[in-house]
Structures are given as C-alpha cells and as structure tokens.
Amino acid sequence: MGSVMSDPQAGKRVADRQAAEWHVRLGKRPVSAATLSAFKVWRETPVNADAYRRVEMLWRSAGGLGADADVQALTRETLKATAPRERAWTRRLIPATALLAGLGAVVLLASFWLQTRNLYSTEVGQHEVIRLADGTQVRLDTDTRVRVQFTGAERQIVLEQGQALFTVAHDADRPFRVSAGATEVTALGTVFDVRRRPEGARVTLLEGVVVVTDADARAGGTWRLRPGQQVETAKSNVTPVAVDAVEVTSWTQGRLVFRGTPLREAVAEINRYLPDKIVLAVGPLADTPVNGVFATGDGDAFVAAVSDLFGLRAVVDADGGVRLIRSSVSG
C-alpha cells in the first residue's frame, strides 16, 4: 500500500467527543423520549457505539484524574470559557458548552484529551510518517499505535502495538527511549526499528548505537547493539545477531522480502497488511521455504505466486478471506 495517512484518528476523536457529550446529556434528569431516540440513532454507528463503551469505562475510573495538573489546567480553561459573562462566546459554543456545565463533565472530557494527546496510529494496510517536536521522524507500519511522552529530562515513546522505524534527533541532554512491553530501547541520535511481539520485541539497529533492556529477561537482560544487529527479547536465549537491516526495514518502501522464509511465516507477514486474511491449510507444505519480493497489501499477487509454485488452490470464503489448500483437496 505505502500510502501516507493525514489523520487516521480524526473520525475516532470526533466519536469520542460526541460520546462524552452524550454521557453528560443522559446523566441529566429527566431525559426526554426525543433525546433517548436521538441517542439510539447515534449509537447505531459502530464507531460511536465503541466510543460510548469507552466513555462508560473511563467514567468509572475517572475519579483520580482531578489531581492531574493537565486536567486541572484544562478544567480552569473550560470553566472560564463557559462562564456566564461570556454570553456571545457561550452562544457560539452551544450545544457543546451546555453539556460541559459540571466539573464532572470537564474531567470526563479532559480524561479523553489526556488519553488521545500525542497518540498516533495506523489502520491495517496503512503507513504514516510523523515528525515529533524535537525533529525525530517516526515511520509507522500497518496496524501500529504509539504514544509520545516528552519531558524536560527525557523523550519517551510507548509502542503499544505494531512496528515503527525511528530516526532520532540527537539531544545529549534528553535520552530517547522506546518501550514495547517489558522491552526498552535507549538512544541519543540513531536509526532503529522496533516491532512489538505478543511477548517481548524485535529491535534492529541501522545507524548509531542503542542499548536494549528487558525487564522479563531471566539474566543478562541488557544488550548493546551495533549497526546491522538485531535482538529478539521474546526468545529464551537472547543474543544479538547480524541481519540485513535494509531487508528488515523493506516495509518502509512498501515491500516484503522473503529469503528461505517458511510459507506459514510468509503468510502471517502478508496478513499483517490485509483486512481479509489468508488461511493456510496445506499440512507439511507450511514449512516449505519461500523466496521473493512482494508489495505490502498485495495479497492477490502473493496468493497467485505461491499457488503456482506449490500447486495450491485458492478458495475464497464468504467473509472475503482466502484459503490456500492442496489442489487435490476439495473446497
């Protein structure tokens, strides 16, 4: 795919905002039948329903947010903006400010703001390049989410899921740290790739030096990488190994390179970029090595190539997915 999204989270942010407003509105008694009917129509949209579920969960845990300095500042600004003396301004903000009358509503919306600020993500099959305030460039792979937390002492990135390539701006006074679960990568100015796994993470260094630590490692949970080295903290015996870093990061160019990759692993990698997945049902052939270069997101080309190479048959399921089976097996 390789396309760059301008703001993939815009729709979600709108839904979150509306959900917070609906929560406040429904909390005021009495609630009219017309309001309930309008809410029901709004919630029929899946993204809105998901947002409202999040707001209900957040409201139950929002009690401690009042002590947060950012929430306090936002509360003061919001209450100032909605003060009765600002009549012309208030009229322009209706109906939104009318829903923010209580402090509880302000805290609720502030908590959403805290959760979504400096949050960047991509959908399945999408890429995005973001530039941070310090000049660092972060390239997000498919289905990836990162959270940026900069302070005066350090620059912290939380890789919540997926994979990202970091081109770090040098700042000797503020180390740059990327956390992926229990794994943490520390650098000053360098280029490295991090992929979060269900357990641990895979770190590949292209330029400079990084130190990788893992809190879950049994012993020796610190590794210093040189360019061209990679470490996978999910493994039992973690040792840095030499890799082709350009090949590892070929996804940044919209390509996936397979060299002797087992078919099942190649399918899993291709599936990361596909909303409709490929299912492999070929028995022992799953371990057959695959060699080739494929465009990310081009599932059709991959299916055609391996079907022809290994004598497989592609069966399209009702949900849009594709099953790869032996040609001698009926669909």
Side-chain angles (χ1 to χ4, degrees):
M1 292 279 188
S3 61
V4 176
M5 290 191 60
S6 57
D7 190 358
Q9 291 296 294
K12 180 176 177 292
R13 285 196 294 268
V14 170
D16 283 343
R17 174 83 182 192
Q18 292 174 347
E21 292 174 349
W22 270 116
H23 192 273
V24 176
R25 187 174 178 183
L26 295 175
K28 292 184 177 182
R29 298 292 188 267
V31 180
S32 68
T35 296
L36 289 174
S37 178
F39 171 68
K40 181 179 179 182
V41 171
W42 175 84
R43 197 170 60 175
E44 286 177 351
T45 303
V47 67
N48 293 342
D50 289 343
Y52 198 76
R53 281 193 291 271
R54 288 194 296 272
V55 79
E56 287 183 313
M57 293 175 60
L58 186 58
W59 182 255
R60 288 194 291 268
S61 61
L65 287 173
D68 187 285
D70 289 319
V71 172
Q72 292 175 352
L74 185 60
T75 298
R76 289 193 296 271
E77 292 302 314
T78 304
L79 293 178
K80 184 189 300 182
T82 58
R85 67 176 179 274
E86 302 287 352
R87 297 186 181 277
W89 175 247
T90 302
R91 284 197 299 271
R92 287 197 296 270
L93 287 178
I94 291 175
T97 54
L99 302 176
L100 299 177
L103 179 59
V106 176
V107 172
L108 178 63
L109 291 178
S111 62
F112 269 109
W113 173 73
L114 284 172
Q115 287 203 2
T116 58
R117 64 179 174 176
N118 297 328
L119 178 65
Y120 304 91
S121 65
T122 55
E123 303 294 336
V124 173
Q126 296 172 328
H127 292 164
E128 183 178 8
V129 179
I130 59 176
R131 185 170 292 278
L132 305 182
D134 67 334
T136 293
Q137 178 181 283
V138 183
R139 186 181 293 271
L140 307 182
D141 197 7
T142 176
D143 196 20
T144 294
R145 185 171 65 246
V146 300
R147 191 180 302 276
V148 180
Q149 301 171 344
F150 279 14
T151 69
E154 68 175 5
R155 298 168 289 171
Q156 180 75 44
I157 304 290
V158 178
L159 179 61
E160 297 184 349
Q161 68 181 48
Q163 181 170 2
L165 179 71
F166 300 90
T167 303
V168 181
H170 182 78
D171 186 341
D173 296 325
R174 289 196 302 167
F176 189 94
R177 309 185 197 279
V178 176
S179 297
T183 302
E184 183 173 83
V185 185
T186 303
L188 289 177
T190 186
V191 181
F192 61 96
D193 180 281
V194 183
R195 179 166 171 180
R196 184 158 182 175
R197 304 285 200 183
E199 296 180 359
R202 187 190 74 187
V203 182
T204 307
L205 181 63
L206 280 74
E207 299 178 12
V209 177
V210 297
V211 175
V212 181
T213 61
D214 189 81
D216 290 342
R218 294 180 181 177
T222 300
W223 306 271
R224 186 180 181 90
L225 300 187
R226 298 189 303 272
Q229 285 190 322
Q230 179 184 93
V231 66
E232 294 194 52
T233 61
K235 294 184 176 180
S236 56
N237 296 315
V238 183
T239 302
V241 297
V243 296
D244 184 338
V246 175
E247 182 176 309
V248 171
T249 59
S250 62
W251 62 267
T252 63
Q253 305 299 320
R255 297 180 294 111
L256 295 176
V257 180
F258 300 128
R259 298 187 190 278
T261 306
L263 179 57
R264 54 184 169 76
E265 293 183 13
V267 168
E269 191 67 15
I270 288 287
N271 275 341
R272 294 180 61 228
Y273 301 85
L274 302 178
D276 299 319
K277 307 303 183 185
I278 300 170
V279 177
L280 195 60
V282 297
L285 273 179
D287 292 321
T288 303
V290 175
N291 295 283
V293 179
F294 298 90
T296 57
D298 193 351
D300 291 342
F302 178 81
V303 167
V306 298
S307 295
D308 181 64
L309 185 62
F310 301 122
L312 305 178
R313 183 158 62 93
V315 178
V316 180
D317 293 328
D319 62 0
V322 175
R323 282 184 297 131
L324 286 175
I325 63 176
R326 298 290 294 269
S327 295
S328 59
V329 179
S330 62

